[in-house]
Amino acid sequence: MSDASAGFQCPVERLTRREAQALAVIAQGLAQPPSRRRVRSDDLRDLVRRLGCVQLDTISVISRSHETVAFSRLGPYELKLWETLYEPQHAITEYWAHAAAIIPMEHLYLYRSHMSRVHDMLRKDYPEQQSVRDAVLQRIRDEGPLASRHFDAPEGKTTQAWDWYGSKPEREALADLWSEGSLILRRRDNFQRIFDVPERLLPDLWEREVREDERVLLLARRALSALGVTTVPWLADYFRTGGRPHLPRPIALQALRDLATTFDAAPVEIEGIAEPAWMAVDLVPALDRLRQRIGWPTRTTLLSPFDNLTWYRPRGEQLWDFHYRLECYVPAPKRIYGYYSLPILHRGRLVGRLDPSYDRKNRLLTIKSFHWEPAARPNEAMGRAVSKAIGELCVFLGTDPDRWVTNDRVL
């Protein structure tokens, strides 16, 4: 950093709440309706790169979460495109990027610091399991990609309901080797993970040199680009393990200050939010257009409960006044909105939520409950837009756009 740039401070831009919401939606690729042309694997690959990571979850009420995240942005598409990106393209893999998440294969090296911490922790705290890890790793080196199913369970041991890793020590070893970077997820078969060694997929994973300060700025820049506008807590949450952020808040704050000196970030004030905030400088032209009443979000779509736009609940509350909690783990009598409610995005605003259930045998989508947000001010046009979004979801699920019913109310 030069002496001149060290003393430079960008002027603070003041954003209205609506402008900040619009910029966040634009950054996430959720502002405009998708192209009418058929979605290609390149579109899906570019989406993962744009978002930086797409969180995974095992719940499949309508579709798996990562599949829904792509639908929200691209519209209906063929799920087999995900398989193509894993293999033969090797364009994506998975790691602890925001909990377990899909990431671009070329970004895996950015998580080496966490891999090294896991490596050291396993050898310090669980040395008795090292022989199993070594044997599993050697077998994959010798035989090629393997999954947990390729390892036999020990005789006489049965799986208990509380066994996270089942009855196989090799299954736990696979997870450990993946977390420490000794294995890479190569593909999924029926959602089961298939692992391989880095030398066959990403030979330079451990050879590529990257300084820690460079790694921090790369992650911060990617998070800022995906968020559009951010505070320090929002940025720190974007890339994290199950709990530990890859950029803890003090590091995230310094990274944002550094990005301001390189003109990647601009300090902003957001109406109604007291915390200091920053905007991706790449969005300055978009902000100018918004202020000319051009380019405002027009898309209406449904979001996964784990969508990048809303996965950090405090951000949803601060920016949209949207209070969201996933209720699938709440006893049914205590649920307010439903087992797996989907946020409704309408023209840059979060206007409601609905709880869906898809009957695959009869190809029928049921909306079990529907709720407008208190500030939504629904009208006929908004109702039509939401109904159309539900129809798009039907097409994505493999049925006709009118194959849906509601148990709660008519939109």
Side-chain angles (χ1 to χ4, degrees):
M1 182 188 303
S2 67
D3 293 338
S5 63
F8 178 81
Q9 185 172 2
C10 296
V12 176
E13 187 73 54
R14 289 173 174 80
L15 304 178
T16 67
R17 181 73 66 87
R18 289 288 290 123
E19 287 172 343
Q21 292 170 354
L23 292 173
V25 168
I26 290 169
Q28 281 285 307
L30 284 163
Q32 306 300 327
S35 169
R36 291 181 178 273
R37 67 169 175 78
R38 189 174 184 177
V39 177
R40 304 185 300 247
S41 62
D42 289 353
D43 300 315
L44 205 55
R45 179 203 62 202
D46 292 345
L47 176 62
V48 176
R49 288 176 176 169
R50 177 176 191 163
L51 299 180
C53 62
V54 179
Q55 186 176 350
L56 291 158
D57 193 80
T58 57
I59 301 175
S60 184
V61 172
I62 50 170
S63 62
R64 298 197 187 275
S65 179
H66 66 285
E67 298 166 349
T68 309
V69 167
F71 155 76
S72 300
R73 291 153 177 81
L74 302 176
Y77 67 97
E78 297 180 20
L79 294 181
K80 67 180 182 181
L81 294 178
W82 285 108
E83 300 175 14
T84 301
L85 288 185
Y86 281 111
E87 195 164 47
Q89 292 188 22
H90 303 306
I92 59 173
T93 187
E94 298 172 17
Y95 196 64
W96 299 110
H98 186 95
I102 296 170
I103 64 171
M105 178 71 79
E106 68 268 23
H107 292 180
L108 186 59
Y109 78 97
L110 294 173
Y111 303 96
R112 286 192 329 208
S113 295
H114 181 70
M115 294 175 184
S116 295
R117 285 193 294 270
V118 173
H119 176 276
D120 294 343
M121 179 272 294
L122 289 173
R123 280 146 187 79
K124 177 183 177 181
D125 297 342
Y126 304 98
E128 71 281 0
Q129 299 174 10
Q130 190 57 44
S131 60
V132 178
R133 291 192 290 267
D134 289 342
V136 168
L137 183 59
Q138 189 60 51
R139 184 172 166 187
I140 292 177
R141 284 197 179 114
D142 294 342
E143 299 181 21
L146 297 176
S148 174
R149 69 174 184 267
H150 296 112
F151 296 87
D152 295 329
E155 291 185 10
K157 183 175 181 182
T158 58
T159 302
Q160 303 297 326
W162 54 84
D163 280 346
W164 181 263
Y165 292 105
S167 60
K168 302 177 188 177
E170 289 86 357
R171 185 176 180 184
E172 183 174 0
L174 285 168
D176 289 343
L177 290 165
W178 172 66
S179 293
E180 72 172 21
S182 295
L183 292 178
I184 294 179
L185 187 135
R186 184 180 185 112
R187 66 180 184 273
R188 282 184 178 264
D189 289 345
N190 294 322
F191 211 62
Q192 185 175 38
R193 298 183 296 181
I194 309 295
F195 297 98
D196 204 350
V197 289
E199 48 263 37
R200 283 198 281 261
L201 290 172
L202 199 64
D204 65 345
L205 174 61
W206 291 100
E207 298 173 2
R208 182 175 180 178
E209 293 186 10
V210 56
R211 300 200 316 265
E212 181 62 12
D213 59 338
E214 292 176 345
R215 184 192 71 85
V216 165
L217 284 181
L218 285 168
L219 279 177
R221 188 178 290 111
R222 295 187 189 284
L224 175 62
S225 177
L227 289 165
V229 291
T230 191
T231 65
V232 170
W234 301 356
L235 189 90
D237 177 81
Y238 198 81
F239 291 118
R240 62 172 172 81
T241 64
R244 179 190 176 107
H246 290 288
L247 300 178
R249 292 185 183 185
I251 295 175
L253 172 60
Q254 186 58 53
L256 284 166
R257 289 171 173 169
D258 291 343
L259 290 176
T261 67
T262 59
F263 306 102
D264 292 297
V268 295
E269 293 178 356
I270 302 175
E271 176 189 10
I273 297 178
E275 298 173 79
W278 287 261
M279 176 181 73
V281 169
D282 289 348
L283 287 178
V284 168
L287 178 60
D288 290 341
R289 289 193 296 272
L290 294 177
R291 290 174 173 174
Q292 298 170 31
R293 300 187 178 183
I294 301 171
W296 282 88
T298 61
R299 178 144 177 75
T300 302
T301 192
L302 309 175
L303 304 179
S304 161
F306 305 99
D307 194 278
N308 302 49
L309 186 74
T310 56
W311 61 23
Y312 187 50
R313 308 311 186 200
R315 183 177 188 243
E317 294 168 8
Q318 288 180 284
L319 196 53
W320 284 279
D321 293 323
F322 187 72
H323 297 259
Y324 182 86
R325 297 294 182 271
L326 184 61
E327 296 180 341
C328 61
Y329 303 111
V330 175
K334 295 184 178 181
R335 291 174 191 152
I336 300 172
Y337 298 110
Y339 179 84
Y340 194 73
S341 65
L342 308 183
I344 302 170
L345 180 71
H346 173 69
R347 304 178 73 88
R349 297 168 55 217
L350 293 167
V351 299
R353 63 194 88 191
L354 58 83
D355 185 36
S357 176
Y358 185 57
D359 182 343
R360 289 173 174 81
K361 180 179 179 180
N362 295 307
R363 300 172 62 241
L364 178 68
L365 178 69
T366 298
I367 308 302
K368 297 187 291 184
S369 69
F370 183 96
H371 300 267
W372 292 113
E373 288 299 293
R377 297 180 182 177
N379 53 38
E380 187 177 344
M382 188 184 296
R384 287 197 304 268
V386 174
S387 294
K388 182 180 178 182
I390 295 173
E392 288 182 354
L393 178 63
C394 287
V395 174
F396 171 58
L397 296 176
T399 190
D400 298 328
D402 60 352
R403 288 283 296 166
W404 64 276
V405 296
T406 177
N407 287 345
D408 187 39
R409 58 180 292 179
V410 178
L411 301 180

